[in-house]
Amino acid sequence: MSRRPSSRYSEMPMRVTDNRMSLVNATPQNKDNVFGKLNIPKPQSTTSERRTSFFGKGMGAGGQRNSMFGAYGGPEKMKDPRPLHDKSFVQQCIKQLCEFLVERGFPGSITVKSLQSPSTKEFLKIYEFIYTLLEPSFQMPTAKVEEEIPRMLKDLGYPFALSKSSMYSIGAPHTWPQALGALIWLIDTVKLFSGPREQDLLFSDFSDELCDLEERAEYNKLFIEHCSDTYNKFMQGADTFEDEDEDYLNKLKRLYNVDEALLQSQHEKHAMLMEHVERLERESQTDRLVGKRTEKLRLQADLQKLQNYRCTLEAHKTGLENKAAGLAEELEAAEMQLESLKQERTRLQHILENQKFTPADIERINRERNELQQTVHILTQSLEEAEQLVWNEEVNLSKTKEKAELKVAEYNKLGRKLKLIPQSAENACGHDFEIRTDYSATTITQYKTQIQNPLKNMMVDVEDEYSRLTNMKMSLEETVEQVKSNISDKEKDIKHLKEQIRKVDQQLEYDMQEIAQEEEKWAAELDSAETHKKRLEKNVTQGCEEAEEELKAAQQQYHVVVQETNEENRMVFKNLTDIFSSAVNLLCEVEKHCSEQLKRFDKLKEVIREDETNMEQLTDLVENFMKKVNSC
């Protein structure tokens, strides 16, 4: 596990898996579909500030290049740019932490409410659970936890300081946001290192067993030529490389036999998907799920009310039919009674005409007649009231039928709108959902079994389909976000790699200047030695051959040193070239290689010092010889 600091200091938590991979080293796997995803962004024009050192301060006023080892990795503390004291940001982080723990199977009950102010024990459980995802054999230390946790985070490369005192009161309002930020960073680290194992990389750098080695060599050759051309243009002062990038892209297309039509179709498909995602995002802003659920509950309530009202109408209709039957029987009995009274009257009238009556009989008959007339009048009124009641009941029954027919028509209209009616409609699925106006007890029961049960089944199917579409939408959103995040990361990687190339170039130029100064120094020393030799030749007559032999030996040794120096310079240049080619992978390799080169320079300096010591010994030997000559 790398312990160097992460290069991502975003204010917002990562929403998708961060599959970081260098674009320039990515070897496509598939010839047919590689350029559907490969997209090299053109570098934007920048000012001269882009050539400043990444590790230390920028170039001085005199234009001298500084060493690439500056303030990087120093004791200076970095301020956390994330708005950890913003309540909305904290709530978002808490929600993300809760979702991550639930998704990864945290052993214990965890809710957003419990994460508002967790205890130290809960924090340690969460930290241990997340850390075990990085190191399965990890066990939480039992002693000095408040010191071990900041140290482990620092070893992992957490760029911000987490004080030891904050570990004593994790749930406090002033310490919990910092601890929450550390947990979110740890979650991002887990996603970063678990992502390549769980899913395919965007641009895989691993070849299959049947991969064509010649094709990979050709790709590497094209890539090295492209880097060489762009580096030469960069050294000449160019900031943009649109022509080189386009030429490089065309060569790659010819190498992998890219289908332009397929590439264009992929771009069009991507544009359509982006429009679809934007439309789904706009629709999701209105919270369609809540609206549909509310509408579903409202429709269910209306359906229940309609069913209750229909049952009430059926009961009322049955009662009215019973009343109408009773009134008809009463009316028939009254008519029969009236007919019998008419026959009795006719009989009495016949008796009255055929016999003689006394005044008492007449009075009695008149009294009976009056009584009968009153009875007839009362019965007539009862008959009229019964007819009026029957008429009112028939009117109410007709109004009730009209209302029921309106409800049925509205139901049938809604069914046609929803493509449920007729039986051959799109959403009917072979069921007959139409309600007809021929009412009867058996028809109503048949409608209940014919319509209600299929409707319930269809509602369940609609809910399942809605859930499936919602999941599909969420997966599309996650895919789009992942693509955007990968594009942004690739742009950052390219920018970072260009900065590394510039720093390697500065170091190379600085080393070349030092080598030139050393060569000038050696040339001056050589001139001084030759002058001294001429002076010795004039003043010394004896021991000339010995001095010449020693001088030749010194010259041979000097030439050997010069050759070794040139060889070392060549090796240094070659190594620096290798550093340039490998700088696109990881910064740690560049630093390691530079440290090796520094060690080689130290060895070279030691050789030079030894050479200087030999020259001093030679000078002392000559001086001793001169003293001997003078003494003689």
Side-chain angles (χ1 to χ4, degrees):
M1 183 182 298
S2 176
R3 293 185 178 180
R4 64 184 180 88
S6 175
S7 61
R8 179 184 182 272
Y9 302 131
S10 176
E11 295 185 1
M12 296 297 292
M14 294 177 62
R15 299 180 64 186
V16 295
T17 305
D18 190 3
N19 295 332
R20 299 194 176 208
M21 197 163 183
S22 178
L23 174 63
V24 294
N25 275 342
T27 302
Q29 287 180 334
N30 194 338
K31 294 182 180 180
D32 298 331
N33 198 20
V34 59
F35 284 97
K37 294 182 179 179
L38 182 59
N39 184 13
I40 303 177
K42 296 182 179 180
Q44 301 296 328
S45 177
T46 56
T47 61
S48 60
E49 295 179 356
R50 66 189 292 271
R51 293 190 176 93
T52 58
S53 177
F54 177 78
F55 298 101
K57 295 181 180 179
M59 294 170 59
Q64 183 179 0
R65 295 178 184 264
N66 296 327
S67 174
M68 66 184 295
F69 300 98
Y72 181 79
E76 182 181 359
K77 294 182 180 179
M78 184 178 295
K79 185 178 180 181
D80 196 340
R82 296 173 295 182
L84 294 177
H85 295 287
D86 186 1
K87 292 184 179 179
S88 60
F89 180 76
V90 172
Q91 293 300 321
Q92 184 179 359
C93 292
I94 290 174
K95 184 178 179 182
Q96 181 184 358
L97 176 60
C98 183
E99 291 176 353
F100 178 82
L101 294 176
V102 173
E103 180 182 356
R104 294 303 178 104
F106 179 72
S109 61
I110 192 73
T111 60
V112 176
K113 185 177 181 181
S114 63
L115 291 176
Q116 299 295 330
S117 179
S119 61
T120 304
K121 185 176 180 181
E122 293 176 346
F123 174 78
L124 294 179
K125 287 183 179 179
I126 294 173
Y127 180 83
E128 182 180 6
F129 174 74
I130 297 176
Y131 203 96
T132 51
L133 297 177
L134 293 173
E135 184 63 34
S137 61
F138 170 74
Q139 290 184 354
M140 180 65 70
T142 57
K144 295 184 179 180
V145 179
E146 63 277 359
E147 296 180 358
E148 292 295 327
I149 289 180
R151 183 188 61 78
M152 287 188 288
L153 289 173
K154 185 178 180 181
D155 292 341
L156 284 176
Y158 185 60
F160 312 115
L162 192 64
S163 62
K164 181 174 68 175
S165 60
S166 63
M167 294 290 103
Y168 292 102
S169 56
I170 288 294
H174 63 282
T175 58
W176 171 233
Q178 282 75 19
L180 180 61
L183 291 178
I184 293 299
W185 181 87
L186 199 58
I187 288 174
D188 293 340
T189 305
V190 172
K191 292 180 179 179
L192 173 65
F193 287 98
S194 63
R197 296 192 299 268
E198 294 176 356
Q199 60 186 16
D200 293 334
L201 296 174
L202 183 60
F203 301 107
S204 177
D205 197 27
F206 304 99
S207 59
D208 298 332
E209 295 179 357
L210 301 178
C211 181
D212 192 352
L213 297 179
E214 294 181 359
E215 198 171 83
R216 288 176 56 85
E218 185 68 21
Y219 169 78
N220 293 332
K221 180 180 178 182
L222 290 177
F223 168 67
I224 292 173
E225 290 178 356
H226 173 66
C227 290
S228 178
D229 295 340
T230 53
Y231 179 71
N232 291 333
K233 292 292 184 65
F234 175 77
M235 293 301 296
Q236 293 175 4
D239 288 330
T240 58
F241 312 99
E242 288 86 354
D243 297 336
E244 288 75 6
D245 291 340
E246 185 176 359
D247 187 24
Y248 176 60
L249 195 59
N250 292 331
K251 290 180 180 179
L252 286 178
K253 289 180 179 180
R254 288 195 297 271
L255 175 62
Y256 292 103
N257 298 325
V258 177
D259 190 358
E260 293 291 342
L262 178 62
L263 181 61
Q264 184 65 26
S265 65
Q266 293 292 334
H267 282 301
E268 293 177 356
K269 184 177 179 181
H270 178 264
M272 293 174 61
L273 289 175
M274 291 297 295
E275 293 178 358
H276 184 62
V277 168
E278 291 178 357
R279 181 174 59 81
L280 291 177
E281 288 179 351
R282 289 195 300 268
E283 292 178 355
S284 65
Q285 292 177 358
T286 58
D287 201 353
R288 296 179 58 200
L289 181 59
V290 176
K292 292 294 183 182
R293 288 177 177 174
T294 305
E295 185 178 359
K296 173 188 172 184
L297 294 175
R298 183 176 59 79
L299 291 175
Q300 288 179 349
D302 293 343
L303 180 61
Q304 187 65 32
K305 290 180 181 179
L306 182 62
Q307 291 176 352
N308 295 335
Y309 184 67
R310 186 178 64 181
C311 295
T312 305
L313 287 179
E314 292 174 355
H316 186 63
K317 176 184 176 183
T318 304
L320 290 178
E321 289 177 351
N322 294 332
K323 289 183 180 180
L327 291 175
E329 291 178 356
E330 292 179 359
L331 181 60
E332 185 178 358
E335 289 178 352
M336 292 176 63
Q337 186 178 2
L338 180 61
E339 185 66 26
S340 62
L341 289 174
K342 286 181 178 179
Q343 292 177 0
E344 181 68 20
R345 178 184 176 185
T346 303
R347 185 180 64 80
L348 293 174
Q349 186 69 28
H350 180 71
I351 292 172
L352 179 61
E353 291 176 354
N354 294 328
Q355 68 179 0
K356 297 179 178 179
F357 297 97
T358 61
D361 293 333
I362 294 173
E363 184 178 357
R364 179 177 57 81
I365 290 171
N366 290 331
R367 186 172 61 252
E368 291 178 355
R369 185 183 64 183
N370 293 332
E371 290 177 358
L372 290 174
Q373 287 177 354
Q374 290 179 359
T375 303
V376 169
H377 181 67
I378 292 171
L379 292 174
T380 303
Q381 289 180 352
S382 299
L383 180 60
E384 291 176 355
E385 291 177 357
E387 290 177 351
Q388 185 65 30
L389 182 61
V390 170
W391 171 256
N392 293 334
E393 294 297 333
E394 289 178 353
V395 170
N396 291 332
L397 181 60
S398 62
K399 290 181 179 180
T400 303
K401 286 184 178 180
E402 290 177 358
K403 290 181 180 179
E405 289 175 357
L406 290 175
K407 291 289 184 180
V408 170
E410 185 179 357
Y411 166 79
N412 292 332
K413 183 179 179 181
L414 182 61
R416 291 185 179 91
K417 186 176 180 180
L418 296 176
K419 297 181 179 180
L420 296 174
I421 298 175
Q423 188 174 358
S424 60
E426 180 180 355
N427 298 328
C429 300
H431 299 287
D432 187 8
F433 293 103
E434 186 175 2
I435 298 178
R436 296 171 180 81
T437 55
D438 50 345
Y439 302 108
S440 64
T442 57
T443 305
I444 293 172
T445 305
Q446 183 180 359
Y447 283 156
K448 285 184 179 179
T449 57
Q450 179 181 348
I451 297 176
Q452 190 171 3
N453 295 330
L455 277 178
K456 289 181 179 179
N457 296 331
M458 289 184 68
M459 289 173 66
V460 172
D461 295 338
V462 169
E463 290 178 355
D464 295 338
E465 182 68 16
Y466 181 77
S467 300
R468 186 182 66 79
L469 292 176
T470 304
N471 295 331
M472 184 184 297
K473 173 196 168 186
M474 293 176 65
S475 63
L476 288 175
E477 290 177 351
E478 291 178 356
T479 304
V480 172
E481 290 176 358
Q482 182 180 2
V483 171
K484 290 181 179 178
S485 176
N486 287 333
I487 291 173
S488 176
D489 292 337
K490 298 311 171 186
E491 292 176 353
K492 292 179 181 178
D493 290 340
I494 291 173
K495 185 176 180 182
H496 187 61
L497 291 174
K498 289 182 178 179
E499 187 67 21
Q500 292 177 359
I501 292 170
R502 185 189 60 76
K503 287 181 284 187
V504 172
D505 178 47
Q506 289 181 353
Q507 183 66 24
L508 178 61
E509 185 177 351
Y510 179 72
D511 294 338
M512 294 297 292
Q513 290 178 359
E514 288 183 351
I515 292 171
Q517 291 176 0
E518 292 292 334
E519 289 178 352
E520 292 177 358
K521 182 178 178 181
W522 295 337
E525 291 178 357
L526 180 60
D527 294 338
S528 177
E530 290 178 354
T531 304
H532 189 63
K533 184 188 71 171
K534 290 179 181 180
R535 187 174 69 251
L536 289 175
E537 287 177 352
K538 293 178 181 179
N539 297 329
V540 179
T541 57
Q542 295 179 357
C544 183
E545 293 180 357
E546 182 180 356
E548 287 179 355
E549 289 177 357
E550 292 177 355
L551 182 59
K552 288 181 180 179
Q555 287 178 351
Q556 290 177 359
Q557 187 176 2
Y558 173 75
H559 286 302
V560 170
V561 172
V562 170
Q563 290 178 0
E564 291 179 355
T565 305
N566 292 332
E567 183 66 17
E568 289 292 333
N569 291 336
R570 187 182 64 81
M571 292 301 294
V572 168
F573 183 78
K574 181 180 178 182
N575 291 332
L576 290 176
T577 305
D578 294 337
I579 291 172
F580 164 72
S581 62
S582 62
V584 294
N585 292 326
L586 291 172
L587 180 59
C588 60
E589 295 180 3
V590 176
E591 294 175 357
K592 181 179 178 181
H593 194 73
C594 289
S595 63
E596 292 177 358
Q597 295 303 319
L598 289 175
K599 291 179 181 179
R600 292 187 180 182
F601 279 123
D602 292 338
K603 292 180 181 180
L604 181 60
K605 289 179 180 179
E606 291 177 0
V607 173
I608 294 171
R609 291 193 189 98
E610 292 176 359
D611 184 44
E612 291 177 354
T613 305
N614 293 330
M615 292 297 294
E616 290 176 358
Q617 292 176 358
L618 180 60
T619 304
D620 294 338
L621 182 61
V622 173
E623 289 178 356
N624 293 330
F625 182 75
M626 289 296 296
K627 289 179 182 180
K628 290 179 181 181
V629 170
N630 293 331
S631 63
C632 292

